[in-house]
Amino acid sequence: MNKSELFDIVETERGWLTDLSQSIWANPELAFQEYDSAEKLQDALREEGFEVETGVAGLDTAFVARYGDDDPVVGTMGEFDALPGMSQAATAEREPVEEGAAGHGCGHNLFGVASLGGAVATKRAIERGDVDGTVVYFGTPAEEAGGGKVYMVREGAFDDVDALVSWHPGWNNAPGKGSCLAVDSFSFAFTGETAHAAASPESGRSALDGVQLLSTGIEYLREHVPESARIHYVVTDGGQAANVVPGEAEMECLVRAPSRDEVERISERVTDAAEGAALMSGTELDATKTSGMYGVLPNHALGDAIRENMAEAEFPLTDEQEQFATELKATLDDPSYARVPSEHQEEAAESAMFTKPIDAPDEGQTGSYSTDSGDVSWNVPLGRFSAATWPAGTPAHSWQAVAAGKELGTAGMEFAAKTIAGSLYDLLTDEDLLAAANAEFEERTGDTEYESPLPDDADPYELVDR
Ligand SMILES: [Zn+2]
């Protein structure tokens, strides 16, 4: 089988893949509640002959689908959770389908299905006997909140995989060669004594004082952390009434930095500040680490293989799609093209859809975001890329991204499916590529032993509204 036959498989299956992504788009489900979306993806994989394991790592909506018995084992990941409050129709004006409801603002309806298309095409090549190996699809829930992959990693779900290729919706076609920030999440709950705030304040101990002293401590701490670090927080409970000394108050806090070590050092200082705040306010502190993630370990060997496949895979865009992209793009107040190098920015600015594949724009950079793919990348060589599913310059988590995700984005979805299929096919047929990806992985991980950043008793379902 050659590449164009492999890509033809994706094109032939375009109809039902599009239907599937549109039905997930039409029923957006939040982190860890993606029951319907996960089931639809699982059904499609079962129908195709994959063996599907559900409830992986104790997560209802996490699953692993596998086809084949041979080595090597290659795989891809699919996300499918939506964002709260992002409801939007597939129109070029702000128009929620249902005010306040969830919506696919990060394109995960396309994400899960493109990866599925890539896995299916790879499976067909194995089935025909053209290649030996196993292809695995990881259904990874709760990327937006909760970090499902970190639990799957801890459970060993990725242990027998030789290499992974995954993607994310965006507005340009490029492999990723950059990293991002590791993160720790905390909840700091203070308990004091309630009292009448005017009549007997001396009897009270304010839990809110604890929270405020902690936030002051964090602000002073900022001067003494590396510039690339980030600390941010919200007060989730600041008391109920001004005439009552608050007996309960709570802060949620995130600590980010390029390396796990740095995150842990800063987290320790934040936790010390919380203890100091409790001491100063005469309150009790309950400090809970709720979650943690690694930054992404890039893999240039896989990035290069992805880039080559992008050059071969055609980007299908109809005139109607381009027309809609033009209308949608016109609604962006201040489109930013900063994520692509300056030599491409003019072309991106002039295009409705920027479909030309480009080299990795982020080589050597550490993006100011975190993703649960980071933990995966410290356990398996992981190749990543973005594909253009939104008009050029569209930010993720915008209503325009939701609007594009229903129909326009299925062009980029097909392109992503082909890129995944081509890259997995290369990994199954080119021993040197697989060896290079693994050698690079060994070199980058070096002496660092991956330790799950999750607290032992972490309960993912406590973190999200259900
Ligand atoms: Zn996303």
Side-chain angles (χ1 to χ4, degrees), residues 301-360:
L302 291 174
D304 291 338
I306 287 167
R307 179 69 183 83
E308 279 172 32
N309 280 285
M310 281 187 165
E312 289 176 58
E314 221 170 293
F315 195 100
L317 191 69
T318 64
D319 292 346
E320 293 78 38
Q321 284 172 328
E322 188 148 27
Q323 178 58 33
F324 181 63
T326 305
E327 289 167 26
L328 196 55
K329 186 174 175 173
T331 69
L332 295 173
D333 286 337
D334 190 16
S336 165
Y337 306 102
R339 68 177 297 143
V340 298
S342 50
E343 71 259 32
H344 296 298
Q345 289 180 6
E346 198 180 313
E347 189 177 345
E350 285 166 2
S351 320
M353 292 294 286
F354 183 48
T355 59
K356 183 182 82 179
I358 59 170
D359 294 339

Side-chain angles (χ1 to χ4, degrees), residues 79 81 83 105-108 111 143-144 168-169 390 396-397:
E79 296 174 6
D81 59 326
L83 287 159
C106 212
H108 293 184
F111 190 155
E143 193 278 333
E144 300 291 359
H168 198 285
W390 310 325
H397 298 200

Side-chain angles (χ1 to χ4, degrees), residues 186-192 207 211 214 236 247-252 274 278 283-288:
F186 294 91
S187 150
F188 296 109
F190 293 84
T191 306
V211 163
L214 169 55
T236 49
E248 310 277 341
E250 190 167 354
M251 172 195 279
E252 273 175 30
T283 58
E284 297 285 328
L285 169 70
D286 182 7
T288 311

Side-chain angles (χ1 to χ4, degrees), residues 11-33:
E11 278 175 35
T12 311
E13 308 302 322
R14 176 193 311 177
W16 68 264
L17 291 170
T18 298
D19 290 347
L20 181 56
S21 85
Q22 291 184 341
S23 79
I24 294 172
W25 183 90
N27 183 21
E29 298 175 297
L30 297 179
F32 289 128
Q33 305 168 48

Side-chain angles (χ1 to χ4, degrees), residues 149-151 153-154 260 292-294 374-379 445 447-454:
K149 295 184 196 74
V150 193
Y151 292 86
V153 167
R154 187 173 67 175
R260 267 313 304 164
M293 290 176 196
Y294 275 61
D375 293 72
V376 177
S377 73
W378 279 85
N379 286 274
T445 48
D447 297 332
T448 309
E449 189 83 31
Y450 174 85
E451 275 175 55
S452 178
L454 291 175

Side-chain angles (χ1 to χ4, degrees), residues 18-208:
T18 298
D19 290 347
L20 181 56
S21 85
Q22 291 184 341
S23 79
I24 294 172
W25 183 90
N27 183 21
E29 298 175 297
L30 297 179
F32 289 128
Q33 305 168 48
E34 320 92 329
Y35 291 96
D36 186 52
S37 307
E39 199 174 305
K40 283 175 176 148
L41 292 163
Q42 290 165 15
D43 285 348
L45 287 155
R46 276 195 204 95
E47 186 132 324
E48 190 63 35
F50 282 73
E51 220 168 90
V52 183
E53 183 194 348
T54 57
V56 173
L59 306 176
D60 296 346
T61 50
F63 61 95
V64 179
R66 176 181 291 266
Y67 183 90
D69 304 306
D70 292 326
D71 285 334
V73 180
V74 299
T76 186
M77 300 190 283
E79 296 174 6
F80 37 84
D81 59 326
L83 287 159
M86 294 289 318
S87 177
Q88 167 65 35
T91 52
E93 59 183 322
R94 179 80 183 102
E95 187 187 353
V97 176
E98 187 191 336
E99 196 70 57
H104 273 290
C106 212
H108 293 184
N109 62 304
L110 305 163
F111 190 155
V113 177
S115 301
L116 188 146
V120 165
T122 311
K123 173 250 162 179
R124 299 275 180 89
I126 297 171
E127 186 180 37
R128 276 171 47 163
D130 294 341
V131 289
D132 290 330
T134 299
V135 58
V136 188
Y137 178 99
F138 291 89
T140 60
E143 193 278 333
E144 300 291 359
K149 295 184 196 74
V150 193
Y151 292 86
M152 295 175 77
V153 167
R154 187 173 67 175
E155 196 79 355
F158 297 92
D159 283 359
D160 79 330
V161 183
D162 296 305
L164 284 171
V165 174
S166 186
W167 76 294
H168 198 285
W171 61 259
N172 64 311
N173 298 315
K177 288 187 177 175
S179 187
C180 65
L181 301 177
V183 62
D184 270 349
S185 324
F186 294 91
S187 150
F188 296 109
F190 293 84
T191 306
E193 284 293 335
T194 56
H196 194 292
S200 47
E202 68 280 7
S203 304
R205 296 289 179 269
S206 169
L208 180 59

